[in-house]
Amino acid sequence: MSAAPMETVTTGGVERIVLGRGRHRLGAWQAASATGSPRSVLVAIHGRAMSPGYFAGPVAPHTSLLALASSLGHTVLAVERPGYGLSRSSLPLGLPLADQARLLRQALADYAELHPVGAGFFLLGHSDGGKTALYLAGESWGEAPAERLLGLDLNGCGWHYSPAAAHFPDTLGGGAGRLNWGPLRLYPGGTFRASRVLLRDVPAAEEADTALWPARFPGVAARVRCPVRLTFGEYEGWWCLDRDELAAVAACFTRTRRPVAERVPEAGHNLSLGLAAPRYHLCALAFLEECLTTVPTPVR
């Protein structure tokens, strides 16, 4: 069966496209490589109660992940997770995280049938999107460029919740403000007003998964075979991040080299929206460059 054509709407150099075929199609923001054929495809996966615009930098778009990665020759797909955006009508309750990953994996396979992907796919997941990214990294991947997973960059996604986060306060209702943001000085002026349009309701099936994550994390991490990078802001509030905890997190990745956890100074949970965003994005892209050196150059 051939892949269904994708609908596109272009705004400011970023295309709003539709991924996949069949009933559960997913929305995505696509920033094409600025240098021609892409060196890779970076798949950015948004967090809880968020949307793909998180990666477009609503206040400082020139330092956004979409802008920086595409300027360095990568195509960026900032995807709507199943149950958000376009798929909300067909999945009103959403999907558990593992099922989200399976649907995303098929959507990326469909994408690769129609578009060049360079050396392969690279995943970047924020917060609960990092959970989905971990499940996705554990899915079946091949050696050919269209099937290859280059690496996984996680930010704001840990193992055990901090005591302050244990009751899982509501983001959309404002209950998680301190956990999501940290000190106000970490963000450019206008960030909070601009970010209101990014917020979405959390699908019920995803909400039900939240409390189960600490029990599931070790098994999910143990299935990942690609290189992994972990990043947390200095003022990260959702996760336990003492030295012993970070060592235990890294030790769960038993099928790949042990990742190093970086703490970004003067940054909160929403790394891609803060003043530290350029530093984080460039470090993530440097890790992508490192991952590219371990795979053969794709045939163009």
Side-chain angles (χ1 to χ4, degrees):
M1 179 184 296
S2 61
M6 292 187 295
E7 306 158 13
T8 65
V9 177
T10 305
T11 305
V14 176
E15 287 185 311
R16 310 290 183 90
I17 68 172
V18 179
L19 298 176
R21 57 171 76 115
R23 182 184 178 196
H24 304 312
R25 304 178 78 197
L26 306 176
W29 293 28
Q30 176 182 254
S33 164
T35 60
S37 184
R39 302 170 61 216
S40 75
V41 174
L42 189 160
V43 181
I45 306 176
H46 67 81
R48 171 190 177 96
M50 266 290 172
S51 54
Y54 173 85
F55 297 106
V59 174
H62 60 290
T63 63
S64 73
L65 182 69
L66 271 71
L68 291 176
S70 60
S71 73
L72 293 174
H74 308 284
T75 290
V76 186
L77 286 179
V79 299
E80 288 176 340
R81 289 196 283 123
Y84 288 83
L86 181 67
S87 66
R88 185 78 173 187
S89 59
S90 65
L91 293 168
L93 300 180
L95 289 174
L97 298 172
D99 293 333
Q100 290 184 25
R102 282 188 282 271
L103 187 54
L104 279 167
R105 179 69 188 94
Q106 184 58 56
L108 294 179
D110 293 343
Y111 178 88
E113 289 185 22
L114 297 173
H115 295 81
V117 298
F121 292 99
F122 178 87
L123 306 179
L124 184 148
H126 168 65
S127 191
D128 276 18
K131 300 174 183 177
T132 302
L134 268 174
Y135 277 107
L136 181 53
E139 288 288 303
S140 176
W141 298 85
E143 293 299 321
E147 288 288 316
R148 181 182 295 135
L149 180 58
L150 300 168
L152 170 62
D153 186 286
L154 299 178
N155 73 88
C157 179
W159 182 356
H160 295 104
Y161 297 109
S162 70
H167 61 294
F168 312 124
D170 177 60
T171 293
L172 198 61
R178 184 174 60 84
L179 295 171
N180 286 333
W181 299 103
L184 301 186
R185 71 174 187 274
L186 306 180
Y187 301 90
T191 295
F192 305 105
R193 178 175 297 176
S195 297
R196 288 174 189 159
V197 300
L198 305 178
L199 298 178
R200 303 290 184 269
D201 289 317
V202 181
E206 179 179 320
E207 186 76 69
D209 253 9
T210 303
L212 305 175
W213 178 248
R216 292 177 174 173
F217 174 82
V220 179
R223 290 195 291 272
V224 176
R225 297 176 180 270
C226 67
V228 178
R229 179 175 178 270
L230 307 172
T231 307
F232 300 95
E234 178 184 356
Y235 293 94
E236 172 63 58
W238 280 98
W239 305 101
C240 294
L241 294 175
D242 59 66
R243 182 179 300 180
D244 290 343
E245 174 75 4
L246 290 176
V249 167
C252 289
F253 292 89
T254 56
R255 295 191 180 184
T256 185
R257 70 189 188 201
R258 184 170 295 195
V260 174
E262 180 185 359
R263 299 298 300 272
V264 179
E266 289 294 289
H269 178 70
N270 284 326
L271 274 167
S272 287
L273 298 178
L275 293 168
R279 170 177 173 165
Y280 165 63
H281 295 152
L282 289 171
C283 286
L285 292 168
F287 176 57
L288 170 52
E289 294 291 336
E290 178 186 335
C291 293
L292 284 170
T293 65
T294 65
V295 298
T297 302
V299 177
R300 300 194 184 278

